[in-house]
């Protein structure tokens, strides 16, 4: 079985930006310094978690994915909030970077992927889709102060010259994940370009 998910890769400028914010939070907030931070090369935006799939199902999913998403056009995904503590700033167990989906194209993509996943018997997602990149996780909740966010972001971002507020989405990628003590290892199985047909 393969623990599988469909995700968007970050553009390199967006990856650098979020990695810089993460470094800044770690250095400004000792409570978060020891949380589990996602290594920069693993940062991604999950479109749909598929769970365990037999290899033949994974392969069939990948074969059908271009038909399911290839007709959707490429789109821009504007950064909304760096950083949002989840579920709350007083008891955060995750830190997310969140994205806006102004014309709903990302949700449309997630729906198309979910519809295909349903044909393989993947259980429907119970939570509403909200595009985000997980930056850090903590087993026990930690307070997160917006003050740190301000410093983390304000210190390195100026609109004219700074890193991007938005990233272009041109493809989706199917990953498998192997859980390990040192953190999950992802393996890229296939990337499907959008706007191709
Ligand atoms: P770790 O679990 O070791 O912290 P990870 O969460 O990055 O690492 P996975 O658990 O394999 O690795 O998850 C891969 C991706 O799927 C991540 O983006 C994760 O947030 C998402 N994911 C995992 N489980 C679920 C789930 N039950 N529902 C929705 N998304 C999930
Ligand atoms: Mg996980």
């Amino acid at each position: 079985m393969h623990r599988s998910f469909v995700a968007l890769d970050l553009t390199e400028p967006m990856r650098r930006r979020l990695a810089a914010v993460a470094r800044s939070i770690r250095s400004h907030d000792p409570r978060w310094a020891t949380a589990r931070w996602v290594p920069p090369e693993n940062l991604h935006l999950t479109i749909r978690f598929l769970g365990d799939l037999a290899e033949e199902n994974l392969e069939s999913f990948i074969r059908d994915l271009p038909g399911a998403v290839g007709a959707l056009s490429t789109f821009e995904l504007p950064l909304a909030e760096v950083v949002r503590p989840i579920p709350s700033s007083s008891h955060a167990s995750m830190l997310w970077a969140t994205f806006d989906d102004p014309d709903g194209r990302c949700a449309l993509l997630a729906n198309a992927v979910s519809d295909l996943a349903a044909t393989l018997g993947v259980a429907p997602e119970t939570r509403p889709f909200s595009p985000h990149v997980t930056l850090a996780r903590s087993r026990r909740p930690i307070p997160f102060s917006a003050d740190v966010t301000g410093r983390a972001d304000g210190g390195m971002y100026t609109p004219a010259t700074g890193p991007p507020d938005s990233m272009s989405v041109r493809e989706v990628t199917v990953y498998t994940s192997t859980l390990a003590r040192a953190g999950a290892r992802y393996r890229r199985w296939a990337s499907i370009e959008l706007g191709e047909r």
Side-chain angles (χ1 to χ4, degrees):
M1 295 293 245
H2 296 282
R3 184 179 173 88
S4 313
F5 64 102
V6 177
L8 305 179
D9 287 338
L10 305 190
T11 57
E12 277 315 304
M14 185 59 76
R15 189 184 301 281
R16 282 197 296 276
R17 174 169 187 186
L18 297 185
V21 168
R23 274 199 308 277
S24 180
I25 295 169
R26 285 200 298 273
S27 64
H28 283 105
D29 190 337
R31 294 170 302 191
W32 279 94
T34 55
R36 288 186 301 136
W37 288 86
V38 177
E41 65 276 14
N42 275 6
L43 291 170
H44 64 275
L45 190 155
T46 302
I47 290 293
R48 185 68 160 88
F49 180 69
L50 304 174
D52 281 335
L53 291 183
E55 187 152 328
E56 63 178 45
N57 279 348
L58 178 59
E59 278 168 0
S60 131
F61 179 83
I62 287 169
R63 245 189 336 268
D64 292 342
L65 194 53
V69 305
L72 302 178
S73 28
T74 60
F75 57 94
E76 287 292 312
L77 212 45
L79 194 54
E81 202 178 345
V82 192
V83 174
R84 185 192 294 176
I86 302 290
S88 70
S89 54
S90 57
H91 290 82
S93 58
M94 284 189 279
L95 298 181
W96 286 2
T98 64
F99 290 79
D100 284 328
D101 187 15
D103 38 23
R105 288 183 197 236
C106 198
L108 207 61
L109 174 61
N111 283 340
V113 171
S114 288
D115 287 348
L116 179 59
T119 67
L120 294 175
V122 173
E125 181 57 81
T126 51
R127 290 166 293 187
F129 178 70
S130 110
H132 67 271
V133 173
T134 300
L135 303 175
R137 297 180 175 90
S138 170
R139 257 185 263 283
R140 98 197 129 78
I142 312 175
F144 180 81
S145 78
D147 188 42
V148 174
T149 319
R151 273 185 284 166
D153 204 31
M156 66 189 58
Y157 176 63
T158 50
T161 57
D165 274 326
S166 167
M167 64 172 183
S168 327
V169 177
R170 312 204 164 275
E171 61 178 26
V172 285
T173 300
V174 180
Y175 284 97
T176 60
S177 166
T178 308
L179 299 180
R181 236 160 190 288
R185 257 187 312 113
Y186 303 148
R187 176 174 164 202
R188 169 190 297 266
W189 279 64
S191 289
I192 310 300
E193 284 190 34
L194 303 179
E196 282 293 284
R197 50 185 76 207

